[in-house]
Amino acid sequence: MFNFSGSEIIFLLILGLVVLGPEKLPPVLRKMGQLYGQFKRITGDAQSEFRGAFAEPLRDMQKAANEYKSVFTDASKEVESGYLQTKSLFTESATQEQLEDTVEPQFIPYEAASSSTDDLSLEPKMIEYDIKEDQ
């Protein structure tokens, strides 16, 4: 409890022998030992009463904490699985849309304007193209 090393105890005994003398030192040491024993018993009893009084509430709190932990763990797993399902669904959908939206380039011929001056009018003119579909 006091964390005295061997050399410190010997130093205190020699100091007590010098201060109290050889006649008074043994009864004083006996009394100190008795007081130390009583102190240890009282603190041990207080510890056991403290543990006994708080054991049930501590168990209840630990039980509640474990229940909350399991609820949150289950909810976390459910959210994670939903996220993974949604992610895979969007990935599949995006891949399928990319395949469907792929457009093949088509050749559109350019018709050169005739070199005559009659065709240089400012009136709009309809040009028709023949588009062949390969379906």
Side-chain angles (χ1 to χ4, degrees), residues 10-118:
I10 292 174
F11 175 75
L12 289 174
L13 287 174
I14 293 173
L15 182 67
L17 184 62
V18 170
V19 172
L20 298 174
E23 294 100 26
K24 294 183 181 178
L25 184 63
V28 169
L29 289 178
R30 234 178 270 118
K31 187 66 175 172
M32 294 277 293
Q34 289 173 353
L35 290 174
Y36 181 72
Q38 287 177 353
F39 177 74
K40 287 295 273 184
R41 270 192 302 278
I42 290 171
T43 57
D45 291 343
Q47 266 185 339
S48 64
E49 286 180 27
F50 181 77
R51 286 185 182 147
F54 287 102
E56 185 69 28
L58 283 176
R59 269 188 254 123
D60 291 342
M61 282 193 279
Q62 286 177 341
K63 183 179 176 184
N66 288 335
E67 288 174 2
Y68 284 126
K69 181 181 177 183
S70 67
V71 167
F72 286 126
T73 302
D74 293 343
S76 171
K77 287 178 182 178
E78 188 176 325
V79 167
E80 185 177 3
S81 69
Y83 167 75
L84 292 175
Q85 288 175 351
T86 305
K87 181 180 175 184
S88 67
L89 180 69
F90 278 122
T91 304
E92 290 172 10
S93 149
T95 304
Q96 194 170 27
E97 284 179 9
Q98 286 176 349
L99 292 175
E100 290 173 358
D101 292 343
T102 304
V103 177
E104 292 292 325
Q106 295 180 354
F107 176 72
I108 301 175
Y110 173 75
E111 292 184 13
S114 62
S115 60
S116 68
T117 58
D118 295 339

